[in-house]
């Protein structure tokens, strides 16, 4: 069955440094992969989508990579700020598939 | 404001009660989703509706009954729930078959 793995432990990063989060998947070949941010007690918020034919995508301080050989996506936040503290979820998805499955998420703490 | 509104924000119910969760989206999207989020667990997909037709039912117990009267509204009818059903219930919508989901703030449900 499809499996999605994200760092289950919380990640503590010093303010100003780059935070890197990992999403690994097994037993399927997603056509695209999405990253979301979730704050406590709130719904996830869409951040970035990267397709299988794209190696890298950027949006302001965010960068996502997608390696279909390694079956892995990396999510980077550069010049991290305490306001970036949240849980980050990845969702590798098949093309035009309504069944969007999320990883458990990684809790990120940016320390001032 | 994501354009997806869920009511109520909090709900406490007994195991013999019947209640309904409501979701409304103002984004003109075609697809709507119900997810369940329990503590320490990933988001669990429950139901998907696309153009008002149910396209996914992820083996959800019959005590949860979805209803989608039109593309803008989605309900989750609850009946004789169990304490383990206590969770955050999230509604989402999307335009393009699973890309870029917009989530509501959720209903925090407690079953006593």
């Amino acid at each position: 069955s499809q499996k999605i793995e994200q760092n289950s432990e919380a990640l503590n990063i010093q303010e100003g440094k780059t935070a890197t989060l990992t999403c690994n998947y097994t037993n399927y070949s997603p056509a695209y992969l999405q990253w979301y941010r979730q704050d406590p007690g709130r719904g996830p918020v869409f951040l970035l989508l990267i397709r299988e034919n794209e190696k890298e995508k950027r949006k302001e301080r965010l960068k996502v990579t997608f390696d279909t050989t390694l079956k892995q996506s990396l999510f980077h936040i550069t010049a991290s700020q305490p306001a970036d503290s949240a849980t980050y979820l990845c969702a590798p998805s098949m093309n035009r598939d309504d069944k969007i499955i999320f990883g458990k998420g990684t809790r990120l703490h940016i320390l001032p | 404001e994501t354009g997806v509104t869920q009511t109520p924000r909090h709900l406490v119910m007994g195991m013999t009660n019947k209640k309904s969760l409501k979701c409304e989206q103002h984004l003109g999207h075609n697809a709507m989703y119900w997810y369940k989020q329990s503590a320490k667990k990933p988001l669990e997909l429950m139901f998907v509706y696309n153009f008002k037709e149910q396209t996914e039912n992820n083996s959800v117990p019959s005590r949860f009954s979805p209803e989608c009267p039109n593309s803008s509204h989605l309900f989750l009818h609850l009946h004789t729930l169990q304490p383990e059903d206590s969770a955050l219930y999230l509604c989402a919508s999307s335009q393009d078959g699973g890309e870029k989901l917009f989530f509501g703030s959720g209903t925090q449900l407690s079953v006593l």
Side-chain angles (χ1 to χ4, degrees):
Chain A
S1 62
Q2 298 173 355
K3 195 174 174 186
I4 303 167
E5 287 182 5
Q6 295 188 250
N7 315 64
S8 56
E9 302 298 321
L11 189 61
N12 295 321
I13 299 292
Q14 204 64 43
E15 182 177 4
K17 302 289 186 188
T18 296
T20 299
L21 284 63
T22 305
C23 175
N24 295 299
Y25 56 89
T26 52
N27 298 329
Y28 68 124
S29 298
Y32 59 94
L33 191 147
Q34 306 181 69
W35 283 89
Y36 290 76
R37 169 187 171 136
Q38 187 174 23
D39 292 285
R42 313 285 296 182
V45 175
F46 171 80
L47 294 175
L48 280 167
L49 182 152
I50 185 166
R51 300 190 188 281
E52 60 182 337
N53 60 349
E54 298 174 311
K55 294 292 184 197
E56 183 180 296
K57 202 104 177 245
R58 291 176 187 259
K59 179 183 172 184
E60 296 170 355
R61 293 184 296 110
L62 309 181
K63 184 178 90 170
V64 170
T65 62
F66 192 9
D67 189 325
T68 54
T69 302
L70 290 179
K71 293 187 179 289
Q72 181 182 79
S73 174
L74 298 178
F75 176 82
H76 306 273
I77 305 176
T78 58
S80 58
Q81 305 165 0
D84 296 325
S85 299
T87 296
Y88 291 85
L89 310 170
C90 76
S93 308
M94 304 301 289
N95 210 22
R96 312 303 289 179
D97 187 358
D98 290 339
K99 193 171 180 177
I100 306 304
I101 308 299
F102 288 82
K104 264 189 175 179
T106 298
R107 227 160 6 105
L108 176 65
H109 298 292
I110 305 300
L111 308 171
Chain B
E1 184 58 57
T2 64
V4 179
T5 304
Q6 286 188 247
T7 53
R9 285 283 279 129
H10 302 275
L11 179 63
V12 179
M13 59 188 287
M15 290 192 283
T16 57
N17 290 160
K18 285 186 186 180
K19 295 285 184 185
S20 295
L21 310 185
K22 180 182 174 183
C23 177
E24 184 175 358
Q25 57 101 355
H26 309 276
L27 301 167
H29 288 167
N30 302 320
M32 296 189 78
Y33 308 74
W34 279 117
Y35 282 87
K36 173 185 177 182
Q37 190 170 38
S38 308
K40 310 283 186 191
K41 284 186 163 185
L43 279 166
E44 296 172 51
L45 179 65
M46 299 176 74
F47 302 103
V48 183
Y49 279 81
N50 214 324
F51 289 98
K52 300 189 299 175
E53 298 297 321
Q54 189 179 118
T55 56
E56 288 290 338
N57 177 337
N58 210 24
S59 303
V60 180
S62 59
R63 57 186 184 269
F64 295 91
S65 174
E67 180 190 358
C68 188
N70 55 61
S71 292
S72 300
H73 293 86
L74 185 65
F75 296 89
L76 188 63
H77 304 298
L78 314 173
H79 177 48
T80 59
L81 295 192
Q82 306 298 310
E84 61 264 28
D85 297 321
S86 300
L88 181 67
Y89 287 85
L90 289 160
C91 172
S93 70
S94 74
Q95 177 62 38
D96 295 315
E99 295 188 14
K100 271 196 218 178
L101 271 62
F102 287 74
F103 283 85
S105 294
T107 295
Q108 187 65 55
L109 174 68
S110 297
V111 182
L112 304 178

